[in-house]
């Protein structure tokens, strides 16, 4: 496989003239497209940019060295009774913060994703019984794990390592192939139902505060920024332990429902340097106030969402997007228990839901 893969890489390199032109368009499209021509442009650009990733993939990352070849739970395996007992030590004042957003159709959405809620009839049914009970049911049409505050599962991101359409060479977490996981009625493997509920130590890095202003689209959070945040927040790097969750506030979330085009058109976030730091630390999850948590466009114009690939696909580390840390920041709380149980929808790629932080 290695030699065929290298050959594939060479072929892709030789197409670089065509790709270069497309990449330039994509970069411009991601940052300015949504503003200039609406979210449709950005959506198309994002979809195409993903297609650039195969030329840049690395050697096989499976089987997972810690969780084994059949594992489908990834970094949620860090959730153990010992982890829970260690985490509760962070609870000092019993305050609960919602760190997810309200779901509504006007929220910013990636590409062509949709969110449509209907309650036809009103009431949907009844009256029942002498007590004349009436009831309402909603019908929701959406990419349920990939709109609003969204939790990326292990089946969300893969890497095409072979030719277009070759699902045997499309690889996901733990090397599962597109052929193995594919299914018209949901993922046959690594669906979100395999993910264990999270109850762990959470650490928030308020990088917006370090910078003194909202970060810009395409601006990368560095490890130096994380260290500056730790110092400002009177925290130690060693406090981030294996199985903890880390969160990044960039200020970009202030655009939510205020300027959706700008919000969607790119974003600040972590790059491969911080991704490596997360992997070395052994965190279970990253989260942020942006739609991808990672910097878009990536400063390396050849890469599209490389942090997604590194963390989710290669290491089984989950990603929680479009979070809201304003309550925590207002109260100066940067360490808490992060609690989230992904909706166990069999075969889903991710989850919506209401994550909380308890201090
Ligand atoms: C993609 O699906 C590419 O991105 P996200 O996980 O940010 O929705």
């Amino acid at each position: 496989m290695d030699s065929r893969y290298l050959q594939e890489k060479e072929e892709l390199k030789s197409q670089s003239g065509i790709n270069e032109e497309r990449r330039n368009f994509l970069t411009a499209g991601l940052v300015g497209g949504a503003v200039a021509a609406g979210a449709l442009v950005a959506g198309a650009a994002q979809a195409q940019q993903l297609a650039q990733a195969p030329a840049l993939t690395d050697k096989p990352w499976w089987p997972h060295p810690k969780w084994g070849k059949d594992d489908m739970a990834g970094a949620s395996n860090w959730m153990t009774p010992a982890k829970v007992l260690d985490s509760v030590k962070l609870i000092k004042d019993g305050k609960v913060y919602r760190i997810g957003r309200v779901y509504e159709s006007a929220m910013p959405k990636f590409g062509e994703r949709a969110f449509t809620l209907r309650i036809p009839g009103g009431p949907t049914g009844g009256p029942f019984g002498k007590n004349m009970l009436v009831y309402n049911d909603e019908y929701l049409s959406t990419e349920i794990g990939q709109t609003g505050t969204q939790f990326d599962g292990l089946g969300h991101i893969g890497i095409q390592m072979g030719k277009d359409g070759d699902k045997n060479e499309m690889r996901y977490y733990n090397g599962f192939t597109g052929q193995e996981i594919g299914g018209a009625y949901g993922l046959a493997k690594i669906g979100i139902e395999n993910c264990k509920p999270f109850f762990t130590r959470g650490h928030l890095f308020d990088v917006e505060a370090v910078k003194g202003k909202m970060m810009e689209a395409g601006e990368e959070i560095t490890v130096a920024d994380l260290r500056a945040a730790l110092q400002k927040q009177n925290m130690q790097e060693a406090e981030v332990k294996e199985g903890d969750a880390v969160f990044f506030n960039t200020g970009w979330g202030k655009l939510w429902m205020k300027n959706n085009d700008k919000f969607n058109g790119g974003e600040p976030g972590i790059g491969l340097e911080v991704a490596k730091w997360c992997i070395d630390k052994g965190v279970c999850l990253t989260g942020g106030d942006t739609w991808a948590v990672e910097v878009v466009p990536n400063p390396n114009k050849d890469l599209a969402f490389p942090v997604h690939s590194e963390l989710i696909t290669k290491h089984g580390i989950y990603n929680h997007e479009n979070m809201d840390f304003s309550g925590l920041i207002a109260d100066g709380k940067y360490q808490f228990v992060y609690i989230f149980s992904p909706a166990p929808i069999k075969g889903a790629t991710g989850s919506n839901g209401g994550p909380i932080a308890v201090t």
Side-chain angles (χ1 to χ4, degrees):
M1 189 193 64
D2 270 350
S3 60
R4 188 154 55 77
Y5 176 49
L6 286 173
Q7 188 189 337
E8 186 78 11
K9 259 179 116 168
E10 283 311 306
E11 280 171 21
L12 282 157
K13 257 201 228 156
S14 71
Q15 295 165 5
S16 61
I18 308 161
N19 287 344
E20 190 57 39
E21 211 179 288
R22 189 161 66 155
R23 270 196 293 274
N24 292 341
F25 164 74
L26 294 172
T27 311
L30 275 169
V31 177
V35 180
L40 286 180
V41 174
Q46 286 159 341
Q48 286 180 38
Q49 199 181 50
L50 280 174
Q52 303 294 321
L56 302 149
T57 52
D58 209 340
K59 54 185 191 308
W61 53 87
W62 60 92
H64 193 281
K66 187 166 179 66
W67 314 121
K69 72 175 178 49
D70 299 322
D71 177 64
M72 295 195 241
S76 70
N77 283 307
W78 287 113
M79 299 306 111
T80 61
K83 190 65 176 165
V84 171
L85 294 177
D86 191 32
S87 301
V88 291
K89 293 178 197 153
L90 287 177
I91 300 181
K92 302 277 197 279
D93 53 22
K95 201 163 170 192
V96 177
Y97 297 80
R98 285 181 194 271
I99 51 173
R101 294 198 178 269
V102 171
Y103 294 84
E104 52 194 308
S105 62
M107 64 191 176
K109 294 176 282 301
F110 178 87
E112 297 290 316
R113 290 175 190 163
F115 187 92
T116 310
L117 184 145
R118 296 287 183 270
I119 304 183
T124 307
F128 289 164
K130 286 197 174 143
N131 53 319
M132 301 294 274
L133 175 142
V134 295
Y135 67 92
N136 291 310
D137 294 348
E138 68 285 282
Y139 176 84
L140 181 65
S141 171
T142 187
E143 288 80 2
I144 193 136
Q146 301 299 334
T147 51
T149 298
Q150 59 201 259
F151 177 91
D152 285 350
L154 304 182
H156 178 46
I157 298 291
I159 301 179
Q160 182 177 310
M161 300 177 76
K163 293 197 186 309
D164 281 353
D166 182 355
K167 291 190 180 174
N168 288 310
E169 290 301 340
M170 200 174 275
R171 296 283 181 166
Y172 289 80
Y173 170 69
N174 228 348
F176 288 107
T177 67
Q179 190 64 33
E180 287 170 307
I181 76 167
Y185 299 103
L187 303 174
K189 289 180 189 290
I190 58 172
I192 200 70
E193 75 279 12
N194 295 288
C195 178
K196 299 173 184 176
F198 288 81
F199 189 108
T200 192
R201 293 156 50 86
H203 310 270
L204 172 62
F205 295 85
D206 187 2
V207 187
E208 178 189 22
V210 168
K211 304 280 178 188
K213 60 180 175 60
M214 178 198 289
M215 294 179 73
E216 299 294 331
E219 188 179 353
E220 181 174 341
I221 297 170
T222 63
V223 172
D225 292 332
L226 299 190
R227 293 189 174 133
L230 286 170
Q231 196 174 24
K232 197 167 171 31
Q233 296 168 194
N234 203 19
M235 286 157 57
Q236 304 298 320
E237 198 164 337
E239 290 170 33
V240 180
K241 302 186 201 170
E242 285 182 332
D244 287 2
V246 289
F247 302 91
F248 309 101
N249 183 63
T250 66
W252 201 245
K254 292 197 171 95
L255 299 170
W256 183 264
M257 304 261 294
K258 301 264 183 334
N259 188 344
N260 285 357
D261 284 348
K262 183 170 178 187
F263 185 85
N264 282 332
E267 62 175 49
I270 62 172
L272 289 172
E273 185 202 23
V274 171
K276 184 174 180 316
W277 181 89
C278 291
I279 293 160
D280 291 346
K281 282 279 181 192
V283 305
C284 67
L285 174 140
T286 54
D289 64 337
T290 57
W291 50 266
V293 181
E294 69 173 287
V295 58
V296 181
N298 192 278
N300 178 344
K301 302 291 175 262
D302 284 334
L303 300 181
F305 303 103
V307 173
H308 272 58
S309 310
E310 283 303 318
L311 297 186
I312 300 173
T313 311
K314 297 186 185 172
H315 291 90
I317 296 172
Y318 293 86
N319 195 33
H320 214 156
E321 300 162 338
N322 290 330
M323 305 188 85
D324 176 12
F325 307 115
S326 53
L328 287 167
I329 289 169
D331 288 352
K333 299 286 183 187
Y334 305 104
Q335 287 180 309
F336 43 84
V337 178
Y338 162 76
I339 302 173
F340 184 67
S341 182
I345 299 176
K346 196 168 165 60
T349 68
S351 176
N352 61 5
I356 56 171
V358 184
T359 60

